[in-house]
Amino acid sequence: MLTLSPSLLPSLAAACLYAAATLYQALRLKQGAKADKRLLCLLGTLAVIAHATGLYSQLIRPIGLGLDFFSAASMIAVAIIVVTMIACARIPVENLLVLVFPLGFLTVLLAQFAPSGTVQLIEEQPGILSHILLSIMAYGMFTIAVFQALLLLVQDHRLKHKHPSGLIKNFPPLQTMESLLFGFLWAGWILLSLSLISGWLFVENLFAQHLVHKTLLACLAWLVFSVLLWGRNRLGWRGHKAIRWTLGGFCLLMLAFFGSKLVREFILHI
């Protein structure tokens, strides 16, 4: 008798809901109209519930937390979508959903169907789990900041060339978009700082052979974002300079987590 994985049906349901929400919002934006925020959030909430249900089955193992490459990406995607939808209730960032919903669609399917590498089992100690949670929240917040930076770049380019599309017409003013970007960056920087502090406190040896690259790259990313926020506060950095620094710091941060994880699980098998 064929036995289905307990995560299969919720993962497929989440993928369908993400796809439906993305298609609906993309069509509305193409028409130059705003999507119904309540409908988007309803579809997104149902998708996140299904996504989290499937992810729980994939993560929880008898002897610890099984956090492989694709399930980690899926977990971060859930955090990104939840934070974005919460933000939508207070600030005009619903256009970000057209970018984060496809991210959820992609990661939930990869976590379900892509072959996993060497699974890293993590003991469920409160200190370690708090470090993981803070790291995921920091990665999620900086991912939202990068999406916001990319939308800001598109908006700035279209406005300078006087070709506002249906998508751009639904954006908040450029100054508001930029303020939102730095709000996300500040939140991400605080979370990353707390993540690094919790790592120093609870991880036995942050400079062990399998952690040294991750630690150094994360510290470099923290430094890049610190310089960016200082430059914004003291020198008034904005526009393309702010976007370049944001993308640079994000690349370092993603290399710190996903780069080292990819090498360990699929190349070195450790």
Side-chain angles (χ1 to χ4, degrees):
M1 183 176 178
L2 180 63
T3 303
L4 295 178
S5 165
S7 63
L8 178 61
L9 291 180
S11 295
L12 291 175
C16 291
L17 287 163
Y18 284 136
T22 302
L23 181 61
Y24 165 68
Q25 189 177 16
L27 288 174
R28 294 294 292 168
L29 290 172
K30 186 177 180 181
Q31 295 166 359
K34 287 187 177 181
D36 187 328
K37 187 187 291 189
R38 288 175 298 179
L39 178 58
L40 275 179
C41 288
L42 175 61
L43 290 170
T45 300
L46 293 174
V48 164
I49 292 171
H51 193 160
T53 301
L55 190 57
Y56 180 85
S57 301
Q58 295 163 352
L59 290 175
I60 302 303
R61 309 292 174 89
I63 57 174
L65 191 69
L67 198 64
D68 62 32
F69 181 86
F70 293 113
S71 62
S74 184
M75 196 174 183
I76 291 173
V78 169
I80 292 168
I81 294 166
V82 169
V83 170
T84 306
M85 289 197 300
I86 292 173
C88 282
R90 303 183 62 88
I91 54 180
V93 292
E94 56 269 20
N95 286 317
L96 285 173
L97 293 173
V98 79
L99 298 177
V100 301
F101 282 155
L103 182 67
F105 172 83
L106 179 63
T107 57
V108 73
L109 291 180
L110 286 173
Q112 180 62 45
F113 295 112
S116 60
T118 305
V119 179
Q120 180 185 7
L121 292 175
I122 301 169
E123 296 180 10
E124 297 180 16
Q125 299 174 357
I128 298 296
L129 291 179
S130 67
H131 171 65
I132 293 171
L133 180 60
L134 286 167
S135 299
I136 287 171
M137 291 173 66
Y139 294 140
M141 193 60 68
F142 280 123
T143 302
I144 296 171
V146 165
F147 285 155
Q148 180 72 8
L150 293 174
L151 289 178
L152 182 62
L153 188 64
V154 172
Q155 184 181 23
D156 181 62
H157 180 268
R158 292 295 181 91
L159 290 174
K160 283 182 177 177
H161 290 81
K162 299 181 180 180
H163 292 298
S165 63
L167 176 65
I168 301 301
K169 289 177 181 177
N170 288 298
F171 280 12
L174 202 62
Q175 187 174 359
T176 302
M177 291 282 286
E178 198 166 73
S179 297
L180 290 173
L181 169 62
F182 279 93
F184 291 135
L185 287 172
W186 271 112
W189 182 84
I190 292 169
L191 289 167
L192 181 58
S193 301
L194 292 174
S195 170
L196 291 172
I197 291 169
S198 66
W200 282 104
L201 291 175
F202 300 117
V203 178
E204 186 175 345
N205 184 2
L206 275 177
F207 290 95
Q209 185 176 2
H210 66 287
L211 290 175
V212 63
H213 296 94
K214 179 179 178 180
T215 303
L216 290 176
L217 286 169
C219 289
L220 281 174
W222 181 89
L223 183 61
V224 168
F225 287 121
S226 298
V227 171
L228 170 57
L229 293 171
W230 175 86
R232 167 71 169 183
N233 188 49
R234 295 292 183 180
L235 305 176
W237 287 1
R238 53 178 301 179
H240 286 210
K241 179 175 285 188
I243 292 170
R244 285 195 297 269
W245 278 80
T246 300
L247 295 176
F250 179 76
C251 288
L252 287 171
L253 198 59
M254 289 300 101
L255 281 174
F257 186 74
F258 288 111
S260 59
K261 202 165 185 62
L262 180 66
V263 170
R264 289 182 61 204
E265 291 184 18
F266 291 96
I267 298 177
L268 299 180
H269 300 287
I270 58 174

